[in-house]
Amino acid sequence: MTEAHQEVTWAERLTEGMTVAVVLGLSFFLSAGPAMLFCNASWSLINDSGAPTAAQILAPLITLVLLVAPLVLTFKVFRSGLRKGRRRLAAAVPAALTLLGGSAVLFVVLALAYLYG
């Protein structure tokens, strides 16, 4: 049997877009500050100690990975929800919660690393 094509209404697209925008804002608020603080602290330690160039390249690369990892995980959760046949808005909610959870975990890890490092 074939399923009828379900058209997405304007209100659903707006709700999905607002959900994604708010969650992305909260996510970057939680993760970007500590990640930049971690990058600056590690950059200062690397440059003051006279570390090789490879270590100087590695510090910003780790920061970039820390910022992108929750976004990649969120994309995977969203695509998984779509493959299960859910509507876009129903798939966006678990992805949004994954993004917030990943950012909160990143915030705690970087805060602890900064405090005890």
Side-chain angles (χ1 to χ4, degrees):
M1 289 207 257
T2 61
E3 293 182 21
H5 177 68
Q6 294 179 348
E7 189 172 321
V8 180
T9 64
W10 176 81
E12 286 176 326
R13 287 185 189 263
L14 179 66
T15 305
E16 176 189 346
M18 291 300 292
T19 302
V20 170
V22 167
V23 169
L24 277 174
L26 287 173
S27 167
F28 280 115
F29 176 75
L30 282 173
S31 60
M36 288 296 123
L37 187 64
F38 175 77
C39 182
N40 286 338
S42 61
W43 184 260
S44 296
L45 287 173
I46 288 171
N47 285 334
D48 291 345
S49 66
T53 307
Q56 292 176 355
I57 293 172
L58 193 60
L61 185 63
I62 290 173
T63 303
L64 182 64
V65 167
L66 288 175
L67 287 175
V68 172
L71 294 174
V72 170
L73 181 62
T74 300
F75 180 72
K76 295 285 185 186
V77 169
F78 181 68
R79 295 297 294 175
S80 172
L82 289 180
R83 273 188 249 119
K84 289 181 182 177
R86 294 182 183 164
R87 296 186 70 136
R88 291 180 63 88
L89 185 57
V93 172
L97 292 175
T98 301
L99 183 60
L100 282 177
S103 298
V105 167
L106 178 64
F107 177 79
V108 169
V109 167
L110 289 177
L112 289 175
Y114 183 74
L115 288 175
Y116 293 111

